[in-house]
Amino acid sequence: MVRSNLTPDVKAALHAINKLPCMHEAQLEYFLPPQKEGYKKDQRVFVISNFLQRNKMAIKVDEYIYPYAIQKHSISLIDSIWVMIDMLSTEYGQDYISDNIHCILSGDAPVDICYMTESAKTVKLMAITNEANVTMLAFEQNRFYVNTKYKVGEEDKANTEYVIVIRDENLLDAIGDLSLTIPHKIALLDYSAGIKPNVRYFELN
């Protein structure tokens, strides 16, 4: 099939999947054009993801989607994508964030993903899945100062914010012990309500 003949929904899905190399099927809906009346979200995504799989444009395994020929599962990326969806949909006052896909960039580990705001701020999201990974925050902080050449106290000059994504509230003590100086906040995910987590934001004193 010639890709120029693809529908806008399929083109948007393909663009998102190739930019975000691992996502939950439920996340795909937020990167599609606004929903048309009479369609159910799960029905539209199901049809599109199966179409892409059938035409060898993407890989679908259970409820996860990957670019074609690349199947690298990442729970941390999926968690960070949920937070990015929450932040962008709140910032722009709408569920669908497909218009912002051009602002989204891949991250260098431990950063999972980042995006640019309208004010040109760079927001970097990194999910910490267990206490052993907490030390990666110190690594990222050191890299921030090395790359920017800024000193402690000059962080705002970089116009960068970090969002530390966690599922386990017990990680807060370990994160607090690092006494991070880079601009950051915590996003705590609560999956008890279903596939899409509730997100609570706060800062450590």
Side-chain angles (χ1 to χ4, degrees):
M1 174 173 289
V2 180
R3 293 196 176 188
S4 60
N5 293 334
L6 300 177
T7 67
D9 283 0
V10 173
K11 286 181 180 179
L14 192 58
H15 192 182
I17 292 167
N18 286 327
K19 179 159 279 197
L20 307 171
C22 173
M23 69 167 66
H24 193 283
E25 189 174 31
Q27 294 174 326
L28 185 58
E29 174 65 32
Y30 298 90
F31 296 96
L32 302 180
Q35 186 77 14
K36 297 177 182 178
E37 283 189 41
Y39 287 85
K40 295 181 179 180
K41 287 184 178 181
D42 56 347
Q43 182 183 51
R44 178 165 72 152
V45 170
F46 178 79
V47 170
I48 290 173
S49 59
N50 283 348
F51 172 86
L52 293 174
Q53 164 103 333
R54 189 167 58 250
N55 288 279
K56 297 184 178 180
M57 297 179 187
I59 300 172
K60 179 180 175 183
V61 180
D62 298 324
E63 66 269 38
Y64 301 102
I65 304 175
Y66 312 90
Y68 184 66
I70 301 175
Q71 185 181 334
K72 186 177 180 180
H73 194 65
S74 174
I75 290 295
S76 63
L77 177 56
I78 290 169
D79 283 354
S80 291
I81 291 173
W82 277 129
V83 175
M84 181 181 66
I85 288 171
D86 185 75
M87 293 180 71
L88 284 174
S89 61
T90 299
E91 181 177 351
Y92 292 100
Q94 59 182 12
D95 287 341
Y96 296 93
I97 60 173
S98 55
D99 289 342
N100 307 107
I101 190 73
H102 64 283
C103 300
I104 300 171
L105 306 168
S106 59
D108 293 324
V111 174
D112 296 302
I113 195 169
C114 56
Y115 69 89
M116 299 288 292
T117 67
E118 286 190 335
S119 61
K121 174 185 283 188
T122 300
V123 179
K124 297 187 175 185
L125 299 100
M126 45 188 176
I128 302 300
T129 55
N130 55 58
E131 192 166 342
N133 294 141
V134 171
T135 56
M136 295 302 292
L137 298 175
F139 167 81
E140 180 61 29
Q141 175 165 272
N142 181 67
R143 183 164 65 181
F144 169 85
Y145 289 113
V146 170
N147 289 346
T148 65
K149 309 300 183 186
Y150 294 132
K151 299 178 181 178
V152 175
E154 300 179 327
E155 295 84 7
D156 288 344
K157 292 181 180 180
N159 204 23
T160 299
E161 179 184 40
Y162 289 88
V163 181
I164 303 168
V165 182
I166 61 173
R167 296 186 180 194
D168 185 359
E169 198 166 355
N170 293 322
L171 292 174
L172 292 176
D173 288 340
I175 295 173
D177 289 343
L178 293 176
S179 299
L180 296 173
T181 53
I182 51 176
H184 69 281
K185 62 183 176 183
I186 309 292
L188 177 61
L189 305 186
D190 178 6
Y191 279 94
S192 62
I195 293 174
K196 182 182 180 182
N198 291 319
V199 186
R200 181 160 60 98
Y201 300 96
F202 52 93
E203 299 179 3
L204 297 177
N205 295 324

